[in-house]
Amino acid sequence: AMGDYEDDQPLVECLKECLTDLDRSVDGKTLVFSTLNGNGKHLSDIAKIEDCTGLRIVLLSDNSIRDASPLIKLGVARKIDISKNQIGSVECFTEPSLPNLVEIDLSSNSIDTPSPLKFDAIVRMDLSKNRMTTFEGFTGSETLQYLSLRENSLADVKGVAAMPLLKELDLAQNQITSLEGLADVPELQVLDLGSNLLADLSFFDAVATIHTLVLTSNKVDDFEQFKKLRCCPKLRTISVAGNPCCACENVDMAGRTPEQQTRVEVLQHLDRLTVIDGVEVRPEEVAAAKELRKERKAAKAAAAAAAEAAAAAEDNASNSKAARVVSPATERHLTFYEMFTR
């Protein structure tokens, strides 16, 4: 039974029009609708949806929903899309609920505080385009494999941790300055940090398993920073365009364009890369990077030798000067001696 829906006629009409896919109930005794497509139906109150306990797929994107709590009654739901609404809190999901939920989309809402979300089977979770400034309230997930926090206002990655099966993490378009705090993601393969404020590439040892990294439009102003990514031995694909160092203003480009020089500069630090900025690495670029690395090593050795020689010369000059200096008393004694012996 779906009860009396007179209090929320828009939802009544939505249920009449958009319930599809008959399936057997959990006990197998009756037929129930398993899919609700209520996208863009001008819904604001979904309180009565809790009576539709057989729903497995719930699509409620692009509405005006503020309260998501009725959804916790949908115990067999596997996918929920409640993006593009006006949800400000996810506190309703902090108690164990929705034990079969595999995918939830909460993007484009007004969520400003993370919570310890309790979804026992969750695999994909989208929290992009919300208002979070921190993710510290999150306590991890044993099953999550994909997490998007894109387009929030995160200043750091504290709380992005304790996800042993996580494979893909999207942190693009935030205000992140450091990866300090990111931990316990031993299966991570893809990391998107594009359009953040990273200037220092330290702490990447916490994501040593990644094979794909997006660093476009950050604040890296020195190609030497890419040396720090050697702690990621599986890294094969990287995107770096839009960083200050890519202008190549302080390096000899040897007739190359800034884009070409950028590729060679990155390769000379990370010689296992196969794709840079979406373009496959060519053999001639590998050779150029190898030659550049050799030249830089020789120049560094020459500079060190010159500095050592200069320091030795300065020490010799100081010792010679010290040998010529005599005290005033000694000088007076020498003068008297010279007068006496004339």
Side-chain angles (χ1 to χ4, degrees):
M2 286 164 45
D4 182 4
Y5 291 95
E6 292 180 1
D7 292 339
D8 195 344
Q9 193 61 27
L11 181 59
V12 174
E13 296 304 319
C14 176
L15 293 174
K16 287 180 179 178
E17 298 173 4
C18 304
L19 284 170
T20 60
D21 300 334
L22 278 173
D23 203 348
R24 290 201 173 274
S25 61
V26 175
D27 60 14
K29 295 180 180 180
T30 59
L31 291 175
V32 294
F33 289 107
S34 63
T35 299
L36 170 64
N37 187 345
N39 291 342
K41 296 295 183 179
H42 310 290
L43 300 174
S44 58
D45 185 351
I46 57 170
K48 297 294 183 180
I49 202 173
E50 61 188 31
D51 292 338
C52 303
T53 55
L55 289 176
R56 289 175 169 80
I57 299 176
V58 181
L59 308 176
L60 292 169
S61 179
D62 196 15
N63 285 289
S64 301
I65 300 166
R66 294 176 181 273
D67 181 11
S69 61
L71 297 173
I72 66 175
K73 301 293 185 179
L74 306 181
V76 298
R78 292 181 57 81
K79 176 180 179 178
I80 293 176
D81 183 352
I82 198 166
S83 61
K84 298 180 183 178
N85 278 281
Q86 299 173 19
I87 297 167
S89 172
V90 287
E91 283 292 318
C92 59
F93 299 129
T94 57
E95 295 298 326
S97 61
L98 301 171
N100 297 288
L101 190 66
V102 173
E103 180 177 349
I104 188 167
D105 190 342
L106 287 157
S107 63
S108 299
N109 277 284
S110 301
I111 302 166
D112 57 7
T113 304
S115 299
L117 305 178
K118 302 295 184 182
F119 301 129
D120 292 341
I122 196 71
V123 173
R124 293 180 62 87
M125 182 158 59
D126 192 339
L127 286 162
S128 63
K129 299 181 181 180
N130 277 284
R131 300 178 180 177
M132 290 181 287
T133 58
T134 180
F135 204 57
E136 282 196 87
F138 185 68
T139 55
S141 167
E142 293 292 323
T143 58
L144 195 62
Q145 296 182 28
Y146 170 87
L147 173 62
S148 178
L149 296 171
R150 172 184 287 261
E151 286 189 61
N152 278 276
S153 298
L154 301 177
D156 56 50
V157 293
K158 294 174 182 175
V160 184
M163 292 175 279
L165 298 182
L166 190 69
K167 290 180 171 58
E168 187 170 350
L169 176 60
D170 188 347
L171 294 168
Q173 294 179 257
N174 281 283
Q175 300 170 27
I176 297 167
T177 59
S178 171
L179 280 197
E180 186 175 9
L182 183 60
D184 300 323
V185 286
E187 297 295 324
L188 192 66
Q189 298 175 6
V190 180
L191 176 58
D192 191 340
L193 287 162
S195 299
N196 275 284
L197 303 176
L198 287 166
D200 185 346
L201 301 184
S202 299
F203 302 107
F204 272 81
D205 53 333
V207 291
T209 54
I210 58 172
H211 62 63
T212 300
L213 174 62
V214 179
L215 284 171
T216 50
S217 301
N218 273 273
K219 301 295 182 182
V220 181
D221 60 4
D222 188 346
F223 285 115
E224 287 291 312
Q225 287 293 325
F226 291 101
K227 186 187 300 183
K228 298 176 181 179
L229 299 181
R230 291 176 182 171
C231 63
C232 304
K234 297 181 180 180
L235 185 61
R236 296 294 181 272
T237 300
I238 194 170
S239 297
V240 301
N243 281 279
C245 61
C246 298
C248 299
E249 294 178 347
N250 300 315
V251 297
D252 179 8
M253 293 194 289
R256 304 183 186 98
T257 66
E259 291 79 9
Q260 293 169 335
Q261 185 66 28
T262 292
R263 296 173 65 82
V264 173
E265 292 283 352
V266 174
L267 269 173
Q268 67 117 356
H269 291 302
L270 303 169
D271 57 7
R272 296 180 180 179
L273 292 175
T274 58
V275 178
I276 300 175
D277 289 327
V279 179
E280 287 190 5
V281 173
R282 299 185 300 276
E284 56 267 34
E285 292 176 319
V286 175
K290 185 176 181 180
E291 184 62 27
L292 180 60
R293 185 163 55 247
K294 182 179 177 181
E295 291 173 2
R296 296 271 173 85
K297 185 176 181 179
K300 187 175 181 180
E308 185 177 349
E314 186 176 346
D315 286 344
N316 290 336
S318 297
N319 293 336
S320 177
K321 183 178 179 181
R324 293 195 302 267
V325 174
V326 295
S327 68
T330 303
E331 187 174 359
R332 287 195 300 272
H333 176 75
L334 290 173
T335 301
F336 175 78
Y337 177 77
E338 290 170 356
M339 290 176 60
F340 181 76
T341 56
R342 282 179 183 172

